[in-house]
Amino acid sequence: MAAPVRSPRSRPSTERGAPPRRYVAVVALAVGAALVAGACGASSDSTASAPRVVASEPGGSGGWTDCADPCSFETGSDGAGRGSAGYESATLDEDTVGAPAPATATETTGGSGGIGADAPSVAVTAGSVDDNAEWDEYLRYRQLFDASGVAADRVVVEGRQVLTVLDGSGQPVIGARIEVRDGSGATVASLRTYADGRALFHPTTTVDPTSQQRPRYTATVTKGDASEVVELSAETRSYEVRLDVAPADAQVALDVVFLVDTTGSMGDEIDRLKANIASMADKIAALPAAPDVRYGMTLYRDAGDLFVTRTFDLTADQGAFAEALEAVQADGGGDTPEDLDAGLRDAVDKQSWRGDDAVKLVFLVADAPPHIGDDPATSYATTVVDAASRGIKILPIGASGLDASGEYVMRQLAQITLGRFVFLTYGVDGASPGESTPMNVERDRYSVLPLDELVVQLVADELDPLRR
């Protein structure tokens, strides 16, 4: 995979302050989270004392890692943090912030995870875009973004090549390992195929079409004892590789991690998450693939807050997840960027992901970009390359208020890991549910669904190639 290209750091001068009650943003997190009826996450908390380390095995014992016992989320409750910045108790003037009245509410009860909280559920609509499926359009979007001068950490993707690995009967092979070497024999990329048998190789340099010297790469594809070698060239965008391998296990292993910004502006979203998680878990469990599901959650805020990240490890125990989720509170933040870099790194590294044959998904819900131009080793642009090398797919959900930098970052994360970028849609008033989006996506490129239905459909799409 390509190394990130650094852009200069840019941080908006305006503060977010006390957040508006954006009901669309509320449910954005809720729906994505409803996937996650199962685990909460590890901590890179630098201020909490007496860390309690919970052993985490691939089988899934679950539990908070490196988090004080009891794990605290409210500023000052364990003597740490920089203050609430007015988020927890602010009284908001709806007319001032321009928030719409909630849409028709219904009550959510019961559920497989024992999460029986009754709470209003707000209708929210969303669309999604697959930038890999419309590659030339995505490249045009990137060119316009680069010309705008908005800062972002970049990964070179313009020379993207798609490798699809199939078994002898033409079925996709999940978890095939692909090592790509350059002409000198040095490894330049390590990849894993996703459930549809695909993996993406992004050469580190773009090719001058007038040059006579074009880089050549060799890809070695393996699964078990089967192995094939493929010569890659800059002129070819896609390759199909056949391996003589046995079919995947009948029951699909599905690991889902919910990565969520828990700064003050996300308070309503977290409340909706707690209220709506059960029904989504039920729908995931009832999919035709009948997956063996585990859920986990990684939370993040920003430097100077009570904590930077906390992770509840992957587990099949939905009751344990529900209990941990109930304690989560939004707080901190204050400026627009948040420490998504640290959150993404912990979601990738601190969860006990299962092996190559498991479907591994991260649903990111956020309304702000990461800090740009910090240490390249800890940048999201480095971590996403690592995620792709391990077969972890990122499906970002952009909450309301997401700016141009945030959109670009979310689309990067989705594109590099063969995911889809999800965004909320609005009516003619720009607030109520509808079919329009402020994101840089043309209307004819997406369909609109209720957000919960869209998320379930995305999971179903991931599992479908593995049905036999």
Side-chain angles (χ1 to χ4, degrees):
M1 300 289 289
V5 177
R6 311 304 299 177
S7 297
R9 180 168 182 154
S10 172
R11 297 183 65 172
S13 59
T14 58
E15 300 267 12
R16 276 193 288 174
R21 293 185 184 276
R22 296 164 300 189
Y23 80 98
V24 280
V26 172
V27 184
L29 183 112
V31 172
L35 285 176
V36 199
C40 227
S43 167
S44 34
D45 183 346
S46 60
T47 58
S49 59
R52 176 173 63 91
V53 179
V54 179
S56 180
E57 299 297 332
S61 62
W64 292 102
T65 63
D66 300 330
C67 189
D69 190 3
C71 196
S72 173
F73 297 93
E74 294 184 353
T75 299
S77 57
D78 61 0
R82 65 175 181 180
S84 65
Y87 288 125
E88 294 294 341
S89 60
T91 299
L92 302 179
D93 182 344
E94 300 290 359
D95 293 332
T96 300
V97 300
T104 302
T106 58
E107 294 208 340
T108 301
T109 59
S112 62
I115 311 169
D118 291 346
S121 177
V122 181
V124 176
T125 53
S128 70
V129 62
D130 183 348
D131 284 324
N132 283 297
E134 300 184 66
W135 185 240
D136 292 336
E137 184 66 30
Y138 178 62
L139 293 182
R140 282 191 287 272
Y141 160 71
R142 285 173 62 95
Q143 290 170 352
L144 291 172
F145 179 87
D146 291 343
S148 72
V150 178
D153 293 345
R154 297 189 67 248
V155 176
V156 176
V157 300
E158 284 74 9
R160 179 209 66 168
Q161 295 177 308
V162 183
L163 293 91
T164 303
V165 182
L166 306 175
D167 64 19
S169 62
Q171 297 298 310
V173 176
I174 185 175
R177 302 185 176 216
I178 303 175
E179 295 290 324
V180 182
R181 296 179 175 83
D182 63 16
S184 70
T187 298
V188 296
S190 297
L191 311 170
R192 297 290 184 277
T193 55
Y194 292 101
D196 62 1
R198 293 188 299 162
L200 298 182
F201 169 52
H202 297 103
T204 55
T205 57
T206 54
V207 177
D208 180 354
T210 64
S211 173
Q212 297 300 311
Q213 295 184 339
R214 298 189 171 234
R216 296 283 175 173
Y217 300 97
T218 300
T220 302
V221 184
T222 61
K223 183 70 183 284
D225 295 331
S227 180
E228 292 289 340
V229 177
V230 181
E231 298 295 328
L232 309 180
S233 66
E235 296 81 8
T236 305
R237 282 192 174 187
S238 62
Y239 302 84
E240 183 178 292
V241 182
R242 296 284 181 135
L243 288 181
D244 184 15
V245 295
D249 293 339
Q251 186 174 29
V252 178
L254 172 63
D255 285 348
V256 179
V257 167
F258 193 55
L259 174 60
V260 55
D261 174 355
T262 58
T263 55
S265 63
M266 299 291 286
D268 285 342
E269 288 91 330
I270 292 172
D271 289 342
R272 291 291 171 179
L273 184 158
K274 296 174 183 179
N276 291 279
I277 191 171
S279 63
M280 289 293 298
D282 287 344
K283 292 175 183 177
I284 299 297
L287 289 172
D292 171 19
V293 191
R294 299 189 311 160
Y295 299 95
M297 181 163 62
T298 294
L299 316 175
Y300 69 93
R301 290 182 181 172
D302 204 1
D305 291 333
L306 175 62
F307 63 88
V308 177
T309 70
R310 285 181 175 170
T311 296
F312 192 87
D313 193 22
L314 282 156
T315 180
D317 186 344
Q318 293 185 19
F321 171 77
E323 182 179 353
L325 174 61
E326 192 59 35
V328 174
Q329 301 292 328
D331 192 24
D335 59 355
T336 296
E338 311 298 357
D339 204 343
L340 172 58
D341 288 344
L344 183 62
R345 172 51 64 185
D346 281 5
V348 170
D349 281 352
K350 290 191 174 182
Q351 296 286 350
S352 60
W353 300 99
R354 282 179 283 190
D356 289 341
D357 287 344
V359 175
K360 299 181 277 285
L361 306 178
V362 172
F363 278 86
L364 162 65
V365 178
D367 64 356
H371 296 287
I372 300 299
D374 289 341
D375 183 359
T378 60
S379 168
Y380 73 90
T382 298
T383 304
V384 69
V385 172
D386 186 31
S389 75
R390 297 163 64 176
I392 299 171
K393 179 169 293 191
I394 302 170
L395 297 152
I397 301 174
S400 63
L402 187 69
D403 63 15
S405 177
E407 177 188 356
Y408 184 81
V409 169
M410 285 195 170
R411 291 177 74 167
Q412 282 180 297
L413 297 175
Q415 186 275 313
I416 293 168
T417 62
L418 275 169
R420 297 181 69 95
F421 169 51
V422 179
F423 46 86
L424 303 184
T425 57
Y426 308 90
V428 294
D429 59 359
S432 60
E435 297 189 350
S436 299
T437 176
M439 300 297 106
N440 292 281
V441 181
E442 296 296 329
R443 178 63 187 88
D444 61 357
R445 294 186 62 201
Y446 63 89
S447 298
V448 174
L449 289 172
L451 183 56
D452 58 343
E453 292 183 22
L454 176 56
V455 172
V456 172
Q457 184 61 55
L458 291 174
V459 176
D461 289 345
E462 289 300 312
L463 301 179
D464 191 62
L466 298 176
R467 293 175 59 194
R468 296 289 187 260

